[in-house]
Amino acid sequence: MMHSRGKTVLLWIFCLALFSVIVVVYLDWDGTLVWMYNNKSLKIIQLKNETEHWLTMPDWFKPRNGYISQEPKGISLPKWFNPSAREDVHTLTTWSAPIIWEGTFERSVLEDYYKEQKVTVGLTVFAIGKYLDKYLKTFLTSANTFFMPGHNVIFYIVVDNLSRVPLIELGPLRTLKFFQVEKESRWQDISMMRMKTIGNLIESHIRHEVDFLFCMDVDQVFESTYGVETLDESVAQLQAWFYKANRESFTYERNPESAAYIPYAEGDFYYHAAVFGGTPQRVYNLTRECYEGIRHDKEHNLEAIWHDESHLNKYYLQNKPSKVLSPEYCWDYKIGWSFDIKNIKLSWMPKAYEEVRNN
């Protein structure tokens, strides 16, 4: 009996020791539960403000099932979208995808639908080098208020230095996860390697945890509700400076040897890589295709004119998005006043390229 009990004690000690290597749990000074664990070379911190929920819900470790191969069923377009409500702008693409402008959608109908579905929305953002210090706190603070209010949100923040991460007080239904990666030597490579990293995160974490995913640049700020009207299988963002331009003036990659090449006679819109989204499966497809294009170019000593954005535009030309967001969802105030813009949801922060790209 004593021998058997001794084996049991030793087994428990071994299990606890193994668990302590993988997970360290402690309460921060403000009572926030902080999880830290290592996954090979990827360091991750998870913060959540609902401490009691975490302590009483052991199924937190259970993943959501099958989201990388499962498309959520949506609500029919006529029930929430009225393309004729804005006659001053284009509200439908040639392939009948909605272009979302203020006044064209009925958010309350969508809110009822998605709350019933209990969706979780993910948001990835990269804060590497000086971008972390200059932009991350403003981005997260505004996102906490305006990004998908009333719905479960997981922020996936990719940084190169965990020690410089700012303290953010989260609202209800918000979770933060920080991933540490190595910093590339050039800002162009940081931009292009983002596609590979997002794809890896979708495979390892995101596909188990969210129904929809957005990927955004950190040097932006939310100004009003960025809501469920943006959700769809594949979501592209119109570039604010080009939404009225003809396609001949789009800054596509024009070198036929590049994987991002688009001829002058082709193209629908010029899309902005500062915002793209969809279901985890669709975003995974986009990031993998863009990364393969970037890798192809590197092997041939090529680099597309606008890096990952050039490859993103090529992808959307060949794989039409199911929803397009107007410039109200990513506006640059340097453009000046525009009658088209009724309600700005997200805007560019002042660019400081000489400061933040001098790493």
Side-chain angles (χ1 to χ4, degrees), residues 126-141 160 164-166 218-221 349-359:
F126 283 61
I128 306 297
K130 296 177 182 178
Y131 279 84
L132 194 163
D133 299 318
K134 189 168 184 65
Y135 296 116
L136 182 58
K137 187 169 185 177
T138 299
F139 179 89
L140 284 178
T141 301
D160 61 324
R164 304 208 321 267
V165 169
V218 72
D219 52 350
Q220 305 181 100
V221 60
M349 292 283 284
K351 305 299 181 182
Y353 291 141
E354 291 186 3
E355 175 185 348
V356 296
R357 289 179 175 176
N358 182 22
N359 293 324

Side-chain angles (χ1 to χ4, degrees), residues 92-98 267-269 271 316 319-324:
L92 286 171
T93 68
T94 57
W95 59 94
S96 299
D268 304 308
F269 303 98
Y271 300 109
Y316 279 136
N319 304 270
K320 308 297 188 190
S322 57
K323 182 173 287 182
V324 176

Side-chain angles (χ1 to χ4, degrees), residues 153-164:
V153 172
I154 302 176
F155 299 111
Y156 299 95
I157 315 301
V158 180
V159 300
D160 61 324
N161 190 338
L162 289 170
S163 67
R164 304 208 321 267

Side-chain angles (χ1 to χ4, degrees), residues 206-225:
I206 295 173
R207 69 189 177 100
H208 303 295
E209 300 173 341
V210 307
D211 304 286
F212 298 95
L213 176 67
F214 277 93
C215 308
M216 298 187 182
D217 285 354
V218 72
D219 52 350
Q220 305 181 100
V221 60
F222 291 89
E223 297 191 16
S224 62
T225 299

Side-chain angles (χ1 to χ4, degrees), residues 6 13-14 29-30 36 46 62 76 86 110 139 142 171 238 247 264 284 302 313-315 347 349 358:
I13 292 173
F14 173 78
W29 64 272
D30 62 352
M36 300 181 65
Q46 297 180 237
K62 296 179 182 178
S76 63
R86 290 288 301 271
L110 293 168
F139 179 89
S142 64
L238 293 182
R247 65 184 177 190
Y264 281 96
Y284 177 84
L302 298 171
N313 272 275
K314 178 64 174 287
Y315 178 85
S347 67
M349 292 283 284
N358 182 22

Side-chain angles (χ1 to χ4, degrees), residues 247 250 252 254 262-270 317 320:
R247 65 184 177 190
F250 293 163
Y252 292 149
R254 303 301 189 181
I262 298 177
Y264 281 96
E266 297 183 21
D268 304 308
F269 303 98
Y270 190 84
L317 177 62
K320 308 297 188 190

